[in-house]
């Protein structure tokens, strides 16, 4: 999968957002332009295999990682580092 050239600080922020339970993939896409498949590829590339597997098992089918699957909208936490 082709990933754009990203600086270390941007990669760190994407990984941080992907680890957060309540940050949806759509927020990462709107802020950095990476689709979910690209985020997964980036995580696989940047993390140890065991950490990647742990992350994938946590986020697979998690309602909070996708806006369309959420049953809530108001009152969600928003990091100060997160745009939009």
């Amino acid at each position: 999968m082709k990933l754009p050239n990203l600086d270390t600080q941007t990669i760190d922020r994407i990984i941080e957002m992907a680890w957060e339970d309540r940050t949806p993939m759509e927020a990462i896409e709107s802020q950095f332009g990476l689709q979910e498949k690209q985020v997964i590829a980036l995580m696989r590339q940047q993390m140890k295999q065991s950490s990647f597997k742990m992350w994938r098992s946590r986020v697979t089918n998690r309602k909070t990682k996708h806006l369309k699957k959420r049953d809530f909208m108001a009152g969600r936490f928003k990091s100060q580092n997160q745009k939009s």
Side-chain angles (χ1 to χ4, degrees):
M1 167 140 313
K2 182 78 172 167
L3 294 173
N5 291 331
L6 302 169
D7 59 56
T8 305
Q9 187 177 8
T10 302
I11 291 171
D12 289 345
R13 182 63 187 134
I14 293 168
I15 291 171
E16 179 183 359
M17 289 175 74
W19 267 105
E20 294 170 348
D21 288 338
R22 292 189 173 232
T23 301
M25 289 294 182
E26 291 86 354
I28 296 171
E29 185 173 2
S30 70
Q31 188 169 343
F32 299 103
L34 295 178
Q35 297 175 349
E36 184 176 0
K37 290 181 180 183
Q38 292 174 305
V39 173
I40 292 169
L42 179 71
M43 297 290 277
R44 185 185 307 271
Q45 179 186 61
Q46 296 293 319
M47 300 173 76
K48 294 187 298 186
Q49 184 177 5
S50 60
S51 297
F52 174 76
K53 286 181 179 181
M54 181 178 19
W55 173 74
R56 283 298 290 158
S57 67
R58 282 184 60 234
V59 299
T60 301
N61 296 324
R62 182 176 289 269
K63 289 182 181 181
T64 57
K65 291 307 278 184
H66 297 280
L67 290 177
K68 291 180 182 177
K69 293 183 179 179
R70 289 181 171 199
D71 55 0
F72 64 91
M73 288 305 291
R76 81 173 182 90
F77 174 76
K78 185 174 180 181
S79 171
Q80 294 176 348
N81 296 330
Q82 184 175 333
K83 296 179 184 175
S84 62

